[in-house]
């Protein structure tokens, strides 16, 4: 029996397999050479360019665009990767509408910025397609550094350390390296096997030994790492998830969005993934949008995001919200869940309207229910495990300067560390800067 | 709508837009379609002497220079004169002229430098009923190696001699087409005038190599590993052409000699500029080759609208109107003091003005917090570079300091009186101001 969008319950194959496959193709197709030249021509080569300032990794954007315009995309890629070794992934996942492209003067001039993200992808794809790794290692220093977490922060840190001539061991709890690049980012942003290809390309620098399936706090501990290495960098991200803390949360088909997304990312054939007919997502960030959109792409009939505050407070960018709306997702703001109703599996979710007085959020008397055979929780991730002995600040590892923790010889960066904005590009910047600081410290 | 009817040395056309002698005018099929599209006249692709026609290369003949968005800014060619038999061209010219009596049809000619050759071809052309001839003393490649084209155009005595033969053996109006590949454009124009030319047309193409292929190490366009200089035309040559037209228009020796302006005319505005500098008609080649014949419609509508807005009713009122304002550097008013002004509402904060002024000019723009760019009047020499590099129209303008106010750069009061270099104290040759 084949399923359709109207089939009740949580079932796979709501849409024909080929439709699902095309739904998960590149959300923004790569530029071809002609398109890249046309797009590059629009850059004004600004003085002290605002786009560059807006980039957390400070890529010299006008320079790389000029390198594309003059027919040397490989040189452009070098410019990018020299600042941001995951420039390929960032080109795909950065919310450029809040970063470089928002700052682009042509946004001010015409409401249409230079397509920086797509140009960056054009350049980095060119270099990676050639299989060239443009950096080489400095002479060996004999220093050993442990990097925990092979997400953007850890990879960036490891690469920079290896480049400086240090020997790096990169530990990660998961079976594959990449962090959320591999297990989190929306499938239509990072298509194919790009995350693994990029990691393999990055590791071509040499000097990095990757150990997967090694969890800090389970298989390894901080004291041991400190003993065996000259420095330790923690880039463990946020492995835990926040609970809703409402009645009925334990019912079947009430799922952590990040877990569902991880499964989705690991499925080569998305048509085998079960999805509800009526999907409700609770949250207001990138994770909420991603799980909602991907549910819709899998064939869910109705997908609703419910966020407890006003739309302007949603951490998903306006562009992401528009993307959700354009795929048919409905967004309800100012409503908080009261309870999950259902016999065994979720059937409905009850919400109450809220009032955000600025000071605090109050739950009103007016309530409503949404039909749901699948409920996703996307209300944030938390630091979990392994950071014992380190000072915590606002639920993240406290750091000063370029990621120095309260323990000598231990640095941290990315989502797990204080500061930052939970973006891939910021994790890359923090990993890189910590590596520079580790290098300076070890060589002092 | 303004009346664009043009009478150029007795040759009438419904508008001043003519197609220049080049591929667009090489055959009846093209010329008929050009007239249908609205062109006021054409100068037929240059005819050579009787006998076997010239041959063209069989590889690429054009090279190009592009601007943003691959906009064609400059075109270069190594094409020769028509490679079709003379009889065929003459027959076609006759047939077209018969069907389009109201359009200008001028025949371009280039034959060896002897009186008999010119006499012979002129007789043939008179038979066609064409309105006039244009002597091609301009092509800089190929034909010049055979003693024709620019080889003639670079020697004023030859120009005079050939023009005289033409006027002697024909009653047709005669336009002499000049080559820009010469130091002083006034000399060939004077020679044409002495020879009895009714008008000059300019410019023909400029010697050029547009690009070098860095794989084959050969100039483009490349023919079997080699290349040769070609003739450059299109938007890039317009400033050169404008200056040459103006030089002839304002020189006492040639002032009043009718001019057909050529070189980079792409829009109605370009045409109006040539006309203001003294061109009684304009000729177009590259714009038609880039966009097709339809561009003339924009030229016609644009020129009429502008004339209407200016209250100008005939093209004669435009021709030469800017000539009195073209002068020598030494007569420019040194008491005309301006400062750059940045309109903060229009500014998009790209900082190009700052980079240009700070790195390469007078350090007269301040970059204030929040990327607010401001002109320092005490440093600004009014060079205009910031205006030129700013990507936003009218964002940076040059404002004149009112006479009587103090120029913060020099600390001197801006005087009302006009004062130029000829009166300046630093000029050893200065004349005392009267
Ligand atoms: C669903 C989703 C979508 C997102 N979409 C975007 C987007 O489009 N654009 C964007 O810029 N950002 C996005 N983000 C945020 C971005 O993915 C993160 O900011 C970024 O991945 C942080 O990098 P990181 O290296 O700090 O952590 P992570 O990517 O989380 O990597 C941490 C790594 O540490 C490992 N680890 C965890 N605990 C341990 C342990 N105890 N021992 C050993 N290893 C451990 C993990 O397995 C993981 O590999 C998204 C996040 C989510 C959840
Ligand atoms: C391919 C090509 C062939 C040309 N052939 C001739 C020619 O045979 N006779 C001539 O007088 N000028 C010839 N010219 C020059 C044009 O008539 C004209 O003077 C020149 O292109 C400048 O005008 P433009 O900038 O509008 O193209 C040729 C130009 C081109 C591009
Ligand atoms: S702000 Fe825009 S136009 Fe300016 S350098 Fe950056 S990309 Fe180019």
């Amino acid at each position: 029996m084949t399923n359709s969008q109207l089939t009740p319950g949580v079932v796979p194959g709501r849409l024909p397999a080929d439709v699902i496959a095309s739904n998960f193709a590149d959300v923004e197709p790569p530029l071809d050479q002609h398109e890249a030249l046309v797009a590059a021509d629009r850059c004004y080569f600004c003085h002290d360019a605002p786009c560059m300032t807006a980039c957390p990794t400070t890529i010299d954007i006008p320079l790389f665009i000029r390198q594309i315009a003059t027919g040397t995309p490989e040189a452009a890629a070098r410019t990018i990767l020299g600042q941001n070794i995951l420039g390929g992934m960032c080109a795909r996942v950065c919310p450029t509408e809040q970063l470089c492209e928002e700052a682009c003067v042509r946004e001010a001039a015409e409401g249409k910025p230079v397509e920086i993200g797509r140009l960056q992808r054009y350049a980095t794809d060119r270099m990676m397609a050639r299989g060239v790794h443009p950096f080489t290692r400095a002479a060996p220093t004999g220093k050993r550094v442990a990097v925990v977490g092979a997400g953007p922060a850890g990879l960036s840190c490891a690469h920079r350390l290896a480049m400086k001539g240090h020997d790096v061991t990169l530990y990660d709890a998961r079976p594959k390296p990449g962090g959320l690049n591999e297990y989190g980012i929306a499938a239509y942003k990072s298509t194919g096997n790009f995350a693994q290809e990029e990691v393999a390309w990055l590791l071509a620098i040499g000097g990095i030994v990757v150990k997967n399936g090694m969890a800090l706090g389970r298989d390894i501990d901080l004291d041991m790492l400190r003993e065996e290495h000259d420095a330790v960098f923690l880039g463990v991200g946020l492995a835990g998830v926040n609970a809703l803390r409402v009645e009925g949360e334990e019912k079947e088909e009430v799922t952590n969005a990040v877990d569902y997304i991880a499964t989705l990312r690991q499925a080569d054939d998305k048509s085998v993934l079960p999805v509800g007919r009526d999907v409700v997502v609770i949250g207001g960030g990138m994770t909420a949008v991603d799980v909602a959109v991907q549910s819709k792409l899998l064939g869910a009939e109705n997908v609703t995001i419910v966020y407890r505050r006003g739309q302007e407070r949603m951490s998903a960018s306006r562009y992401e919200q528009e993307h959700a709306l354009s795929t048919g997702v409905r967004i309800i703001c100012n409503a908080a869940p009261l309870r999950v109703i259902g016999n065994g599996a979720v059937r409905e979710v009850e919400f109450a309207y809220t009032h955000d007085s600025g000071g605090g959020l109050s739950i009103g008397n007016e309530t409503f229910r949404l039909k749901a055979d699948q409920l996703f929780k996307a209300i944030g991730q938390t630091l979990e495990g392994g950071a014992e002995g380190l000072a915590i600040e606002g639920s993240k590892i406290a750091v000063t300067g370029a990621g120095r923790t309260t323990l000598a010889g231990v640095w941290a960066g990315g989502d797990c560390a204080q500061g930052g904005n939970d973006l891939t590009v910021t994790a890359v910047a923090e990993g890189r800067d910590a590596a520079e600081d580790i290098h300076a410290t070890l060589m002092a | 709508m303004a009346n664009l009817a043009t009478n150029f040395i007795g040759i009438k056309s419904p508008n001043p837009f003519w197609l220049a002698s080049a591929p667009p005018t090489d055959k009846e099929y093209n010329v008929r379609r050009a007239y249908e599209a609205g062109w006021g006249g054409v100068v037929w692709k240059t005819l050579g002497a009787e006998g076997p026609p010239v041959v063209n290369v069989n590889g690429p003949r054009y090279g190009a220079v592009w601007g943003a968005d691959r906009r064609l800014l400059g075109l270069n060619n190594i094409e020769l004169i028509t490679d079709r038999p003379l009889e065929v061209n003459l027959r076609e010219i006759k047939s077209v002229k018969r069907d389009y009596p109201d359009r200008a049809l001028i025949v371009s000619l280039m034959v060896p430098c002897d009186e008999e050759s010119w006499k012979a071809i002129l007789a043939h052309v008179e038979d066609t009923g064409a309105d006039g001839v244009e002597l091609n003393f301009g092509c800089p490649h190929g034909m010049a190696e055979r003693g024709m084209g620019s080889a003639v155009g670079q020697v004023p005595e030859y120009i005079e001699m050939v023009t005289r033969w033409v006027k002697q053996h024909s009653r047709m109006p005669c336009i002499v087409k000049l080559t820009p590949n010469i130091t002083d454009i006034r000399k060939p124009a004077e020679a044409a005038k002495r020879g009895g030319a009714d008008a000059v047309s300019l410019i023909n193409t400029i010697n050029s190599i547009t690009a070098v292929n860095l794989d084959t190490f050969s100039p483009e366009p490349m023919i079997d590993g080699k290349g040769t200089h070609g003739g450059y035309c299109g938007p890039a040559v317009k400033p050169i052409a404008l200056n040459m037209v103006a030089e002839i228009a304002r020189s006492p020796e040639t002032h009043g000699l009718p001019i057909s302006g050529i070189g980079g005319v792409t829009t109605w505005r370009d045409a109006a500029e040539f006309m203001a500098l003294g061109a009684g008609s304009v000729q177009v080649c590259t714009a038609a080759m880039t966009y097709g014949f339809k561009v003339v419609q924009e030229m016609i509508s644009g020129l009429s609208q502008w004339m209407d807005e200016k209250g100008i009713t005939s093209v004669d009122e435009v021709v030469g109107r800017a000539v009195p304002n073209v002068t020598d550097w030494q007569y420019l008013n040194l008491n005309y003091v301006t400062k750059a002004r940045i309109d903060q509402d229009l500014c998009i904060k790209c900082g190009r003005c700052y980079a240009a002024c700070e790195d390469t000019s007078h350090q007269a723009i301040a970059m204030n917090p929040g990327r607010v760019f401001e002109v320092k009047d005490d440093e600004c020499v009014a060079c205009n570079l910031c205006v030129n590099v700013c990507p936003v129209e009218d964002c940076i303008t040059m404002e004149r300091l009112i006479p009587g106010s103090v120029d913060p750069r020099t600390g001197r009061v801006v005087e009302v009186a006009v004062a130029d270099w000829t009166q300046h104290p630093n000029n050893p040759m200065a004349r005392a101001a009267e």
Side-chain angles (χ1 to χ4, degrees):
Chain A
M1 206 211 82
T2 52
N3 293 320
S4 78
Q5 287 197 273
L6 306 184
T7 309
V10 181
V11 298
R14 288 184 177 275
L15 295 172
D18 57 330
V19 174
I20 293 184
S22 82
N23 279 353
F24 281 90
D26 272 310
V27 64
E28 278 211 322
L31 297 173
D32 66 23
Q33 186 189 342
H34 167 73
E35 292 170 318
L37 292 177
V38 171
D41 249 350
R42 294 188 65 237
C43 174
Y44 284 144
F45 204 71
C46 295
H47 170 76
D48 187 12
C51 53
M52 198 171 151
T53 313
C55 172
T57 53
T58 330
I59 293 172
D60 192 337
I61 293 164
L63 178 61
F64 95 68
I65 293 179
R66 195 176 168 86
Q67 289 167 318
I68 292 175
T70 54
T72 53
E74 289 79 9
R78 223 200 129 96
T79 302
I80 296 160
L81 298 162
Q83 284 296 108
N84 178 336
I85 197 66
L86 295 180
M89 183 59 79
C90 287
R92 290 162 167 78
V93 309
C94 274
T96 50
E97 67 282 358
Q98 296 176 319
L99 301 169
C100 51
E101 291 181 17
E102 180 180 61
C104 175
V105 301
R106 298 206 75 157
E107 171 64 30
E110 298 121 22
K112 197 173 173 296
V114 173
E115 291 185 282
I116 301 171
R118 295 179 84 192
L119 285 165
Q120 177 165 325
R121 172 163 179 194
Y122 174 78
T124 50
D125 277 4
R126 280 298 191 97
M127 173 169 287
M128 287 177 64
R130 284 190 164 198
V132 177
H133 187 95
F135 305 105
T136 48
R137 296 189 70 194
T141 59
K143 305 281 184 197
R144 295 155 43 84
V145 183
V147 173
V148 188
L155 286 168
S156 158
C157 181
H159 184 273
R160 184 55 64 105
L161 288 167
M163 223 169 103
K164 298 281 185 193
H166 309 298
D167 288 321
V168 180
T169 310
L170 181 54
Y171 299 94
D172 197 289
R174 298 247 199 192
K176 292 189 205 168
L180 291 172
N181 287 359
E182 175 62 34
Y183 293 98
I185 295 296
Y188 47 82
K189 290 184 186 169
S190 173
T191 54
N193 198 23
F194 181 74
Q196 288 309 302
E197 287 161 11
E198 188 181 42
V199 171
W201 170 88
L202 177 147
L203 293 175
I205 182 84
I208 304 173
V209 177
V210 185
K211 297 198 171 168
N212 280 109
M214 298 285 275
L216 184 67
R218 185 188 69 195
D219 310 299
I220 43 178
D221 65 56
L222 202 48
D223 291 339
M224 191 176 105
L225 291 177
R226 290 177 75 201
E227 246 162 62
E228 291 172 10
H229 300 85
D230 300 293
V232 178
F233 174 81
L234 298 179
V236 292
L238 302 173
V241 282
N242 290 327
L244 276 181
R245 284 191 260 278
V246 299
E247 181 192 329
E249 188 175 358
E250 71 298 336
K251 291 196 193 301
E252 284 160 42
E253 305 304 348
V254 179
T255 313
N256 286 324
V258 284
D259 297 339
Y260 187 80
I261 289 171
T263 311
L264 185 143
R265 280 295 307 275
Q266 296 308 304
D268 287 333
D269 177 4
K270 312 271 183 256
S271 67
V272 304
L273 291 168
V275 69
R277 173 179 175 178
D278 295 291
V279 174
V280 172
V281 179
I282 297 175
M286 200 119 59
T287 307
V289 165
D290 283 3
V291 80
V293 168
Q294 293 180 109
S295 300
K296 195 75 195 156
L297 300 180
L298 287 172
E301 188 192 6
N302 301 304
V303 180
T304 313
I305 294 176
V306 186
Y307 177 56
R308 61 195 181 126
R309 297 183 192 270
Q311 194 184 0
E312 66 292 343
R313 296 279 302 267
M314 285 180 77
S315 64
S317 71
R318 185 49 75 110
Y319 176 86
E320 297 280 345
Q321 294 176 37
E322 299 283 330
H323 180 229
L325 294 172
S326 75
T327 52
V329 171
R330 189 175 156 213
I331 301 178
I332 299 176
C333 291
N334 301 307
L338 294 180
R339 60 194 177 110
V340 180
I341 303 158
N343 193 2
V346 50
R347 195 181 72 238
E348 277 184 319
V349 189
E350 187 169 72
F351 293 91
Y353 283 111
T354 60
H355 305 283
D356 192 354
S357 60
L361 198 68
S362 58
I363 307 288
N365 296 326
E366 211 173 320
T367 63
F368 65 93
R369 288 182 181 191
L370 289 178
K371 208 172 141 198
D373 38 32
Q374 195 170 25
L375 174 66
F376 289 119
K377 299 181 282 181
I379 55 169
Q381 289 91 253
T382 52
L383 183 62
E384 192 181 76
E388 290 83 12
L390 299 173
I392 301 293
E393 181 81 41
S395 79
K396 292 196 171 192
I397 300 172
V399 291
T400 50
R404 296 183 184 200
T405 69
T406 46
L407 266 187
V410 180
W411 279 256
D415 284 0
C416 68
Q418 176 195 5
N421 50 7
D422 293 358
L423 291 179
T424 308
V425 64
T426 307
V428 174
E430 290 174 0
R432 176 198 68 192
D433 295 346
E436 290 289 349
D437 196 39
I438 293 170
H439 173 70
T441 308
L442 295 186
M443 305 311 283
Chain B
M1 201 167 112
N3 179 11
L4 301 186
T6 301
N7 181 343
F8 185 76
I9 58 170
I11 302 171
K12 297 202 169 72
S13 60
N15 61 55
F17 307 114
W18 297 356
L19 282 171
S21 173
T25 64
D26 196 13
K27 52 166 108 74
E28 181 172 358
Y29 174 81
N30 290 6
V31 174
R32 281 183 185 274
R33 291 183 62 242
Y35 284 154
E36 289 303 323
W39 290 91
V42 308
V43 183
W44 201 277
K45 172 79 178 171
T46 308
L47 308 184
E50 231 162 331
V54 303
V55 295
N56 270 301
V57 293
N58 296 302
R61 356 182 143 160
Y62 308 138
V65 168
W66 293 277
D69 251 349
R70 233 178 126 84
R71 182 181 290 258
L72 188 72
L73 294 184
L75 186 72
N76 146 297
N77 83 89
I78 55 168
E79 184 178 285
L80 303 185
I81 61 177
T82 184
D83 54 11
R84 304 181 331 133
L86 179 62
E87 321 77 73
V88 175
N89 277 309
L90 292 169
R91 199 171 56 232
E92 291 184 359
I93 292 169
K94 193 167 185 171
S95 138
V96 177
K97 182 64 211 180
R98 194 187 52 224
D99 290 350
Y100 293 90
D102 67 320
R103 308 301 172 96
L105 201 168
I106 290 110
V107 179
S108 170
L109 300 173
M110 183 197 292
V111 296
C113 222
D114 61 76
E115 192 166 356
E116 278 317 301
S117 300
W118 284 97
K119 192 173 165 186
I121 190 104
L122 285 166
H124 289 306
V125 176
E126 294 222 317
D127 279 349
T128 63
D131 298 306
V133 291
E134 184 180 79
L135 315 188
N136 179 351
F137 295 152
C139 283
H141 46 268
M143 302 311 289
E145 295 168 17
R146 303 173 205 179
M148 294 180 260
S150 65
V152 178
Q154 286 166 341
V155 185
E157 292 73 18
Y158 292 171
I159 296 178
E160 183 179 344
M161 176 179 75
V162 176
T163 310
R164 189 158 282 135
W165 292 337
V166 171
K167 286 311 289 181
Q168 211 170 334
H169 297 296
S170 150
R171 284 167 289 113
M172 286 183 289
C174 167
I175 305 170
V176 171
K177 185 166 179 179
L178 304 179
T179 175
N181 300 304
I182 187 158
T183 326
D184 183 349
I185 197 67
R186 293 172 300 187
K187 298 294 178 244
E190 287 163 18
K193 190 178 175 188
R194 280 196 303 275
D198 299 285
V200 288
S201 57
L202 69 158
I203 59 173
N204 206 310
T205 55
I206 305 175
N207 276 330
S208 64
I209 289 175
T210 43
V212 176
N213 184 316
L214 294 179
D215 294 320
T216 57
F217 292 100
S218 54
E220 300 282 10
M222 180 270 278
I223 306 282
D224 195 20
K226 301 253 186 293
T228 185
H229 67 87
Y232 199 44
C233 51
V237 311
K238 182 186 123 184
I240 297 166
L242 280 179
N243 174 54
M244 290 186 164
V245 166
E247 286 296 286
I248 293 170
R250 77 187 184 97
S251 160
E253 276 70 40
T254 46
H255 182 72
L257 177 66
I259 301 170
S260 185
I262 322 172
V265 175
T266 311
T267 67
W268 69 267
R269 194 177 280 279
D270 300 326
E273 290 170 16
F274 270 95
M275 292 166 74
L277 286 178
S281 73
V282 294
Q283 299 184 28
V284 177
C285 168
T286 306
M289 288 180 73
T290 310
Y291 303 108
F293 291 143
K294 200 171 75 177
V295 280
V296 74
Q297 292 170 13
E298 164 267 310
M299 295 182 188
I300 292 169
S301 64
L303 185 63
S304 349
Q305 179 181 330
W306 173 75
M307 284 170 60
D308 288 346
E309 284 166 8
K310 287 263 180 255
I312 299 172
T313 50
S314 83
V315 291
D316 292 342
E317 293 172 53
V318 180
V319 177
R321 206 150 161 170
V323 174
N325 293 329
V326 185
T327 184
D328 293 343
W329 191 97
Q330 60 181 329
Y331 302 123
L332 298 175
N333 181 9
L334 297 172
N335 282 342
Y336 180 80
V337 183
T338 67
K339 298 287 172 192
R341 290 281 169 266
I342 302 175
D343 183 330
Q344 298 299 341
D345 292 334
L346 291 177
C347 176
I348 59 172
K349 307 191 185 304
C350 69
R352 293 212 322 201
C353 56
Y354 176 82
C357 190
E358 188 69 16
D359 290 1
T360 70
S361 294
H362 299 85
Q363 296 76 46
I365 294 181
M367 181 168 163
N368 296 324
R371 298 182 71 81
V372 175
F373 297 94
E374 256 163 2
V375 176
K376 302 182 212 161
D377 281 2
D378 55 343
E379 298 292 348
C380 175
V381 302
C383 74
N384 217 35
L385 184 63
C386 53
V387 175
N388 299 139
V389 302
C390 176
V392 179
E393 305 90 292
D394 299 329
C395 175
I396 311 184
T397 48
M398 280 293 163
E399 305 291 336
R400 184 178 189 173
L401 292 190
I402 332 156
S405 61
V406 174
D407 177 352
R409 183 175 69 88
T410 56
R412 279 202 288 273
V413 173
V414 178
E415 286 172 46
V416 189
V418 172
D420 62 31
W421 175 243
T422 60
Q423 303 144 25
H424 198 276
N426 290 13
N427 180 0
M429 319 275 278
R431 294 180 276 110
E434 275 118 55

